[in-house]
Amino acid sequence: MNQPRSAENSVLPPRSAENSVLPPLAAGRVFGMPFKRKRKLLGAALGSGGAKGLAHLGVMQALEEEGIRFDVLAGTSAGAIAGALYAKGYSPADIAELLARVDYRQTLFSLLMERSAQPLHRLLDGVLGESAFSELQKPFAAVATDTADGGEIVLCEGNVARAVFASSAMPPFFRPVQIDGRLLADGAFANAVPGDVARALGADLVIGVALSPANNYREVSFTTASGRQIALRQEGFSRCDILLEPDLSAYTATSVFDTDKIFDIGYACAKQNMAQIVRLLRQNKLLQPDARA
């Protein structure tokens, strides 16, 4: 774990590599959703990683067992799936059970033959349906990449499922998703662990989960829709107060038949770092009153 280094869907303006600061939000509002600031808020920045995203659920489960729950969530790709379902009101165990229903053999076939993940999309459509961001129980944002110029797009209004599909549309496996006239691809290229987005949602302290070593994201290569190769620099992960990096080196984004093992690795990582997490949360008065830790 690293400490911090001293239309259908409305979108925030795209952020290029040179302009990575979100516009300031009005006090007491999160992307248009009013709330009362009675206490400090704990945020999650859930990183990209395909099937390795089950580690997010392991981390969340370990935290929930200590009475630690997220108030706001920002997610990229697999992190957007986990974040959206958590913000909808599902527990980590519920989400793991839902994802266990996916026919991953059929999903891999769809990826290879159709550049889609229809079994997974059908499940998310069934769970999220026509839910709008404003209908979620907790503030949530998904991060995608603009295929035109590599700019970061933060999806925070409109249809949640479509935003999640855009955030996880990893080329060449998935086709880009069109939202507000932009063709959007996987947010991993623009902001793989969106700690800064969680802060823009109102989080006072952010726990991030990187499914690959975070330093790998400092500069990534991206091919635009026109075929231009560009370098994108990321700093979102550095805005996390606590950054968990479970060792998933034995797995890949397509390790869909190892999800139980991946969940357990995320769980163990959070447990191993729990004393430090609890200490920081207590120092910042962020533990829930019923926290057992």
Side-chain angles (χ1 to χ4, degrees):
M1 179 172 67
N2 298 328
Q3 290 300 325
R5 304 158 178 87
S6 307
E8 181 174 341
N9 285 71
S10 295
V11 296
L12 290 177
R15 288 189 280 164
S16 67
E18 292 77 22
N19 178 23
S20 60
V21 180
L22 282 168
L25 300 178
R29 298 185 71 82
V30 173
F31 295 126
M33 293 178 282
F35 67 97
K36 295 180 180 179
R37 291 301 299 266
K38 295 182 179 179
R39 60 179 175 83
K40 291 183 176 180
L41 302 180
L42 178 62
L46 305 177
S48 61
K52 294 188 290 184
L54 268 291
H56 291 314
L57 305 182
V59 169
M60 290 173 163
Q61 180 64 36
L63 293 175
E64 286 219 342
E65 289 175 4
E66 302 296 334
I68 300 169
R69 298 174 180 85
F70 293 112
D71 301 299
V72 302
L73 303 102
T76 298
S77 194
I81 295 173
L85 293 173
Y86 188 95
K88 177 76 172 174
Y90 289 93
S91 71
D94 290 338
I95 300 169
E97 183 180 344
L98 285 170
L99 295 179
R101 300 177 189 172
V102 177
D103 184 339
Y104 287 109
R105 286 184 172 82
Q106 183 61 40
T107 299
L108 290 174
F109 179 81
S110 295
L111 283 174
L112 292 171
M113 302 302 294
E114 303 172 9
R115 292 178 62 198
S116 71
Q118 284 304 317
L120 179 58
H121 283 189
R122 280 195 295 270
L123 181 142
L124 292 175
D125 266 334
V127 173
L128 295 172
E130 296 302 314
S131 295
F133 280 83
S134 59
E135 297 172 317
L136 297 176
Q137 294 183 16
K138 298 175 184 288
F140 165 70
V143 175
T145 304
D146 192 332
T147 61
D149 58 7
E152 180 181 355
I153 302 295
V154 177
L155 299 161
C156 51
E157 295 182 354
N159 183 268
V160 178
R162 190 160 182 80
V164 169
F165 297 157
S167 179
S168 54
M170 174 61 74
F173 302 111
F174 301 115
R175 299 182 182 90
V177 175
Q178 185 169 12
I179 293 178
D180 284 354
R182 296 183 174 100
L183 284 176
L184 305 181
D186 198 294
F189 298 102
N191 195 353
V193 186
D196 52 345
V197 178
R199 288 197 181 282
L201 282 168
D204 297 286
L205 187 143
V206 177
I207 296 176
V209 184
L211 304 180
S212 295
N215 278 329
N216 292 355
Y217 302 127
R218 286 194 179 276
E219 183 171 303
V220 299
S221 178
F222 180 70
T223 303
T224 67
S226 65
R228 184 166 59 99
Q229 196 87 6
I230 59 175
L232 299 178
R233 294 174 178 82
Q234 300 186 21
E235 293 294 337
F237 63 87
S238 68
R239 300 298 306 281
C240 299
D241 298 281
I242 299 171
L243 184 60
L244 298 175
E245 298 182 273
D247 183 3
L248 297 168
S249 56
Y251 304 96
T252 70
T254 59
S255 296
V256 294
F257 302 112
D258 296 303
T259 52
D260 288 344
K261 295 176 183 176
I262 292 169
F263 179 101
D264 290 343
I265 291 172
Y267 181 90
C269 178
K271 283 293 190 182
Q272 289 162 7
N273 291 283
M274 194 62 69
Q276 187 174 359
I277 293 170
V278 168
R279 184 168 57 251
L280 187 59
L281 294 184
R282 282 182 173 160
Q283 288 172 355
N284 287 273
K285 297 179 173 57
L286 273 159
L287 278 182
Q288 297 281 355
D290 62 342
R292 295 194 299 271

